[in-house]
Amino acid sequence: MASLEAQGGASRPLPPRAPGSPVFLTVEMQAGGEPLRVVPPGGLGPLEPPRDLPLLARRRLLLERPELDAARRLLMHEPRGHRDMYGAALVPSELPGAAFGALFVHNEGGSAMCGHAVLCLARFALDYGLCPPPPPPPPGPDQAAAAAAAVVIHCPCGPVTAFASWDGQRSGSRVRFHSVAAFAAATDLTVDVPGYGKVVVDVGYGGTFYAFVSADRLGLDLSSSRIRDLVDAASAVTEAVKAQFKVHHPEIEDTAFIYGTILTDGKDAFSDEPTSNICVFADAQVDRSPTGSGVTARIALQYHKGLIQLNQTRTFRSSTTGSLFTGKAIKQTKCGDHNAVIVEVSGESFYTGMSTFTFEEEDPLKYGFFLK
């Protein structure tokens, strides 16, 4: 198993810092090009929300109390991060069988679900001994084939089960997960978007709520339009949907907010060819990956419209990096009165390094800053 202390260079001298101030040791990962700064259990030190609270209560405190939100700003914002940094703080979970709870953080606050993070955290859980690995495959011609390990991650939207390969020494990069119940919240919803006129959008839930619209309805093209123009248009749609449509989750009201807008190439009918999209979420933050929770919600919408069937796999391409995730509806279910599906999302995740962060008390920017 990997050791944070051994690999973090604990014997190396740390830079001068505020006496008694915490040292933040993180593991850096990425899935589909989207970064994930992993804060291991206990890694927030005195800035961690109380451990005896349920996960949703800890998420509220982390976002509402300035002294606790300082940890998010310190790790996500400049100079240690950037406006598109993404992170996950791992905390104890009250759910039996869960490896840990995950508090997802970004430039604006926190999310209810993050698929690319789950693809990373399944590997992290195995490699750092946070859940029991499966027995290694027996010797023989198939020894190279790794066993699949199930890792339950308690997300704010509920428990998500991920599956990562394990060869007895380390996890493999290919990971998949089964979503919470995903559903269509609204289809063919007309909203008035300042600067773009009346636009028809869909709203889907895949652990968090997204608005979906084909880029050509906004006079844009995912391949040729400038990223800035795509971001501005998606942000305008998000604000319009927030103002004109009230989202509701029948079981977890903490998830009842529009997280962002996903612009698509409009290719929603089933095809073996990839379909592209770009996700703009939080405060105009751009996802480099195809967006795991977005894939989940988009599959739910396609299934709801009869465009795909159970176990038909679709490939989703990020228009920013070209990275690929796959998704398929694997089971029908219910979420309140909504007809819903469980979606399997697959992709690859990779380690990119480790970081050690400190601060000096006299530094006026010690908790970070955010440029727009």
Side-chain angles (χ1 to χ4, degrees):
M1 302 296 178
S3 166
L4 289 175
E5 291 77 12
Q7 296 187 20
S11 62
R12 299 174 188 171
L14 292 170
R17 63 191 193 282
S21 64
V23 175
F24 300 95
L25 181 65
T26 65
V27 174
E28 310 296 318
M29 302 186 73
Q30 64 96 355
E34 179 72 355
L36 183 70
R37 177 158 287 164
V38 183
V39 183
L44 293 178
L47 299 182
E48 183 172 313
R51 287 172 161 251
D52 58 346
L53 294 176
L55 182 70
L56 287 175
R58 273 178 284 179
R59 177 181 176 273
R60 293 185 210 112
L61 284 180
L62 182 66
L63 301 179
E64 294 170 0
R65 288 191 182 177
E67 69 274 17
L68 297 179
D69 189 51
R72 177 191 64 84
R73 292 182 283 115
L74 184 149
L75 292 171
M76 296 296 101
H77 292 182
E78 294 186 57
R80 301 172 186 85
H82 53 83
R83 66 166 295 117
D84 293 317
M85 177 56 73
Y86 203 98
L90 308 188
V91 297
S93 169
E94 68 272 19
L95 294 183
F100 46 75
L103 297 174
F104 302 122
V105 292
H106 46 67
N107 69 13
E108 187 181 49
S111 174
M113 171 57 186
C114 179
H116 96 276
V118 168
L119 296 176
C120 293
L121 293 177
R123 296 194 66 192
F124 183 88
L126 287 168
D127 293 323
Y128 285 87
L130 300 182
C131 68
D142 298 327
Q143 185 173 16
V151 182
V152 179
I153 299 170
H154 185 187
C155 303
C157 64
V160 173
T161 302
F163 303 87
S165 61
W166 177 256
D167 65 6
Q169 299 292 325
R170 55 174 290 204
S171 65
S173 62
R174 176 62 60 178
V175 183
R176 58 191 172 92
F177 69 82
H178 291 172
S179 74
V180 294
F183 57 86
T187 57
D188 299 324
L189 175 71
T190 299
V191 292
D192 190 3
V193 184
Y196 299 90
K198 294 189 181 299
V199 179
V200 177
V201 306
D202 295 330
V203 178
Y205 178 79
T208 191
F209 288 92
Y210 293 98
F212 291 84
V213 60
S214 179
D216 61 9
R217 292 184 176 179
L218 301 166
L220 298 168
D221 181 83
L222 293 184
S223 300
S224 59
S225 295
R226 297 187 311 163
I227 292 290
R228 183 71 263 165
D229 293 336
L230 295 170
V231 170
D232 288 346
S235 299
V237 171
T238 297
E239 293 309 309
V241 175
K242 284 181 178 179
Q244 300 169 46
F245 178 71
K246 172 65 175 173
V247 295
H248 169 69
H249 192 281
E251 297 173 359
I252 307 176
E253 198 58 25
D254 285 65
T255 69
F257 59 93
I258 296 290
Y259 188 33
T261 291
I262 296 180
L263 304 182
T264 78
D265 58 8
K267 299 176 181 178
D268 288 322
F270 177 73
S271 170
D272 291 327
E273 296 298 315
T275 174
S276 297
N277 56 231
I278 180 173
C279 174
V280 181
F281 65 99
D283 190 350
Q285 187 163 337
V286 179
D287 196 333
R288 274 66 171 160
S289 81
T291 308
S293 54
V295 166
T296 303
R298 197 172 170 200
I299 285 285
L301 282 164
Q302 292 173 358
Y303 185 80
H304 174 81
K305 292 182 173 184
L307 300 174
I308 60 171
Q309 305 301 315
L310 287 179
N311 294 307
Q312 283 189 319
T313 300
R314 295 222 62 191
T315 301
F316 298 83
R317 178 192 288 121
S318 165
S319 68
T320 58
T321 63
S323 59
L324 303 174
F325 287 172
T326 62
K328 61 181 178 181
I330 60 173
K331 179 184 176 182
Q332 292 180 325
T333 187
K334 296 284 288 186
C335 186
D337 293 331
H338 294 284
N339 292 321
V341 286
I342 302 299
V343 178
E344 180 177 282
V345 177
S346 300
E348 287 192 288
S349 60
F350 299 92
Y351 293 97
T352 59
M354 299 186 72
S355 300
T356 303
F357 297 109
T358 62
F359 65 86
E360 294 185 278
E361 192 60 51
E362 61 270 26
D363 179 2
L365 301 176
K366 59 180 173 289
Y367 292 126
F369 59 92
F370 183 41
L371 290 182
K372 293 189 178 181

